[in-house]
Every structure is written in C-alpha cells, then in structure tokens.
Amino acid sequence: MEFDHLVIAAEELAAGVRWVETVLGVNLQPGGRHEMFGTHNALLSLGPSAYLEVISVDPGAPIPDRPRWYGLDHFSGPPRLTHWVLRTDDINKSLASMHPGVGMPVAVTRANFRWQMAVPQSGLLPYDDMHPAVISWDGPHPAAHLPDAGIRLQTLHISHPKAEQWGKALSLKDSNINFENQNKDLTALLTTPSGTMKLSSNCQES
C-alpha cells in the first residue's frame, strides 16, 4: 500500500476551499458529488499520483441511507485535516490483514472515476478515526487530471497512543509517513511555492 490522498473536512465546502487556498496560496479545482454518501468535494494535486481533497456534506443531496464516510455526520467546527487514505491494487487482500473496523469495500463512482473504498458501518475508522481509509482505483487516478500547482507532501505525522503498533502493521512503501505514540494528532507538512506549510487536525496555522 502507498499514500493516495489527504482529506480536509469542512462544514461547508466553500469554507474548506477558502481555508486551504489561504494556507497554501494556490487554487483548488472543482470535484463533484458522491450521491451514495451525500457529499461533495474539491481537489488539489500533490503530484502525479496523490492529491488533497476538501469534502463536506452536500446540502442539496438526499440524506443517505447509511452513515457518511469520514465521520462527516459528526463533523463540526472549522475546516481541518481529518483523514488520510492509502491506495492498494488488491483491496480485499489488504483489508484481510487490517483491523476489521476499517470496513468493507464499497463501489463508488463520480463522473468518469470509479473506485472501491473500504467504509466502516459507523462511518468512523479504528483507533479514534486515525487509521487510514483504504482505496483501490478502477481506471484513471484523479491526480492525473489535476493541474500541478507545485504542492507536494513532505511528511505526514500520525500521533495516537497506539500509533507505532498499528502503523508498523501497515507495511507502507512511503518513508515520509511517521507514527508516534502521543496524543491524537494528524499533521501534514507540504512543500509549496511559498515554502513549507502545515495542515493539522488540531490547529489551523501554516
């Protein structure tokens, strides 16, 4: 498995987009709607095979018959980094070695994109929602269709009282993802044209 994308949650999509654009100094691109979960998003390239997603509940969509992914039914407060997603070529094989609370694969489509995503029944991931979500793309990857704004993930730091144990079990290819047994926090350092900027689950400072 390897890093796929970061997730910024927001009560309103426009507010999330404004925050990320202000912190990083670049423009995000329109995404689309996820009818199954009643959400919509905007995207930013982090290179040829990675991206950042701002996501929120879509006020114009019907209420879904299942909990929304990324715990968005329970989200409140200012926009912030809340989740990270790993990519795999074989989602069933990857999930077999993970905590069962990561969820079962759900087929999702948006415009011309198709993928399978492991979604927990509660909408919340294991280890206080700090465990990565897991995705497998069936066709083109969104990053390949986004303009390159020169933003790259420098490091992703995951803090949780048991992060080192479950992080080691993931056997990641990415050397820039770090785990530490500390209080819950998710922090991404991003290289931008203006220097290194920070997005965090606990603060909004760049």
Side-chain angles (χ1 to χ4, degrees):
M1 292 187 296
E2 58 188 330
F3 175 75
D4 191 77
H5 67 275
L6 298 174
V7 178
I8 306 291
E11 290 187 2
E12 297 180 353
L13 184 60
V17 169
R18 283 196 301 271
W19 176 59
V20 173
E21 291 183 340
T22 299
V23 172
L24 301 183
V26 296
N27 294 325
L28 273 70
Q29 302 300 309
R33 290 178 164 82
H34 317 105
E35 295 182 5
M36 181 182 296
F37 293 99
T39 58
H40 57 170
N41 67 358
L43 307 175
L44 174 69
S45 169
L46 296 181
S49 60
Y51 65 98
L52 178 152
E53 169 186 32
V54 178
I55 191 168
S56 73
V57 171
D58 182 354
I63 297 175
D65 60 0
R66 60 182 299 156
R68 293 180 174 91
W69 48 11
Y70 302 127
L72 284 171
D73 289 317
H74 311 285
F75 181 83
S76 63
R80 56 191 180 272
L81 177 64
T82 58
H83 294 86
W84 57 298
V85 183
L86 294 177
R87 178 173 64 250
T88 177
D89 292 331
D90 188 334
I91 194 167
N92 290 306
K93 181 179 179 180
S94 295
L95 291 175
S97 63
M98 289 185 173
H99 190 295
V102 176
M104 298 297 292
V106 175
V108 188
T109 61
R110 179 182 68 77
N112 296 324
F113 299 108
R114 299 185 301 278
W115 67 97
Q116 290 189 76
M117 185 95 171
V119 181
Q121 290 185 346
S122 65
L124 299 172
L125 287 155
Y127 302 107
D128 301 309
D129 216 24
M130 294 294 288
H131 193 282
V134 180
I135 196 169
S136 179
W137 293 96
D138 180 17
H141 192 276
H145 297 263
L146 295 170
D148 190 342
I151 309 292
R152 297 292 185 271
L153 177 64
Q154 190 178 113
T155 59
L156 179 62
H157 189 80
I158 298 98
S159 296
H160 181 272
K162 297 182 178 180
E164 292 178 11
Q165 294 92 314
W166 57 261
K168 183 178 180 180
L170 294 173
S171 299
L172 300 181
K173 292 182 179 180
D174 306 88
S175 60
N176 60 342
I177 298 178
N178 307 310
F179 300 87
E180 183 179 17
N181 288 349
Q182 293 290 340
N183 293 332
K184 177 182 173 182
D185 184 38
L186 183 63
T187 299
L189 294 180
L190 301 169
T191 301
T192 80
S194 300
T196 299
M197 302 296 177
K198 181 173 75 172
L199 300 175
S200 173
S201 61
N202 287 336
C203 72
Q204 295 178 261
E205 300 298 328
S206 61

